[in-house]
Amino acid sequence: MANLDVLCVGSSVVDIPLHPVDRTVFDTVSYPVDDISMQVGGDALNESIILSRLGARVGLVTVVGDDAAGTFITTTARSEGVDVSRVHVRRSLTTSLNVGLVQPDGERTFITNRNGSLWLTEESDLDVSGRIGFAKILSFGSIFNNPLLSGAWIADLFHRAKAAGMTVCADMVPSRTGAGIEEIAEALGYVDYFFPNASEAIALTGAHDELEAATILEGYGVGNTVLKVGARGCLVHNAHITEIVPAVGRDAVDTTGAGDNFAAGYIRALLRGMSSIDAAVFANGVAGLSVTRLGATAAVRSLEQAEEFIAGIDATGT
């Protein structure tokens, strides 16, 4: 692995989105949908592919099973220009499958297998030895996404990255085991850019609203909290600025992976030297583009396409 822009650490799964689906699916013997196909998914994998398409040099640190789904993930990532030399293939593991029930408005629910890699990733599966310091940015897909990764392990990873001069970025999902902010308090102190959505941040911190949540996270040492606030865009908060940056986009077809696309867009903007606000505009645009097609990585194809999409929205105001 040569010097990289970003090292993405976290989950890689296979998504099977079903669209459009509503609650009558459970009352119907045979329910036709527009398409059923295998697509790549998972926080680290989504971010790595989108970052690569946006022109960054990316390495992926993840684990898959020795099965057809795992081969599909590795082959797809490699074909997208992602360095997969640190993808661990564990023979005893089943690669996770996520069946996505996507509603007509683009919102979705995932059905996933508890015996899969998403749930059973171990700390030893994510081997970053010899890789810390050989990228500008460490992006940790989602805190709490893999229940067997301890807060202490994440804190050690972030500490080593910071000590090597890397910028640390992270997203999160709600804990699957009931872990709270104290579990990750040390890790948060090393995070330069944190990308939770507002409801996740409020639940994590016990705050009454998104601004209080961002302020609490700052107190834990987070340098920049960038809260995704849905159709309103995102809230950027640091020691110098607190600002809502409006969303960029149109009606959603599928919101799967929108948060991963947002994080990838923000990180790519950082690599381009953009300010925190300009980075948020670009990230909102990448996320807005991502929801225009079915699947987490189907829509965003290149940096030029993303810029044209944002410019087009700016020109029309819709």
Side-chain angles (χ1 to χ4, degrees), residues 14 38 64-65 67-74 95-97:
V14 168
M38 288 177 58
V64 297
D67 50 26
T71 300
F72 176 66
I73 286 169
T74 305
T95 304
S96 279
L97 305 176

Side-chain angles (χ1 to χ4, degrees), residues 36-61:
I36 300 176
S37 60
M38 288 177 58
Q39 300 191 24
V40 291
D43 46 33
L45 181 57
N46 289 341
E47 285 187 24
S48 67
I49 288 174
I50 299 304
L51 277 162
S52 182
R53 290 179 184 170
L54 292 174
R57 299 166 299 170
V58 189
L60 176 64
V61 178

Side-chain angles (χ1 to χ4, degrees), residues 47 51 139 141 169-171 195 228 257-270 283 286-287:
E47 285 187 24
L51 277 162
S139 178
C169 299
D171 204 336
F195 305 121
K228 296 164 287 191
D260 300 332
N261 278 262
F262 178 91
Y266 204 101
I267 291 167
R268 186 67 182 99
L270 292 176
V286 173

Side-chain angles (χ1 to χ4, degrees), residues 93-253:
L93 192 65
T94 298
T95 304
S96 279
L97 305 176
N98 281 347
V99 178
L101 305 181
V102 185
Q103 301 175 58
D105 64 359
E107 294 300 317
R108 80 287 185 271
T109 297
F110 281 126
I111 301 173
T112 187
N113 49 328
R114 290 194 182 191
N115 68 327
S117 53
L118 186 68
W119 293 77
L120 300 180
T121 294
E122 298 176 355
E123 293 165 0
S124 59
D125 289 320
L126 303 180
D127 181 11
V128 297
S129 59
R131 301 303 183 248
I132 295 297
F134 286 88
K136 299 172 185 175
I137 294 176
L138 173 74
S139 178
F140 191 80
S142 296
I143 293 172
F144 297 135
N145 202 19
N146 304 110
L148 300 184
L149 302 183
S150 68
W153 183 87
I154 297 171
D156 179 68
L157 171 64
F158 291 0
H159 171 70
R160 286 186 287 144
K162 289 284 285 186
M166 299 175 73
T167 298
V168 175
C169 299
D171 204 336
M172 68 164 285
V173 298
S175 173
R176 304 174 193 275
T177 61
I181 196 166
E182 293 307 319
E183 173 73 13
I184 61 168
E186 182 182 358
L188 289 175
Y190 299 112
V191 175
D192 296 293
Y193 294 89
F194 193 33
F195 305 121
N197 67 42
S199 62
E200 291 166 348
I202 290 169
L204 179 69
T205 60
H208 295 93
D209 56 38
E210 59 205 33
L211 179 56
E212 183 184 1
T215 302
I216 292 172
L217 290 168
E218 181 184 6
Y220 276 89
V222 175
N224 298 267
T225 299
V226 186
L227 297 184
K228 296 164 287 191
V229 292
R232 290 184 293 136
C234 66
L235 170 68
V236 178
H237 175 80
N238 58 39
H240 308 289
I241 192 169
T242 299
E243 184 173 332
I244 291 282
V245 180
V248 177
R250 303 184 179 94
D251 292 341
V253 173

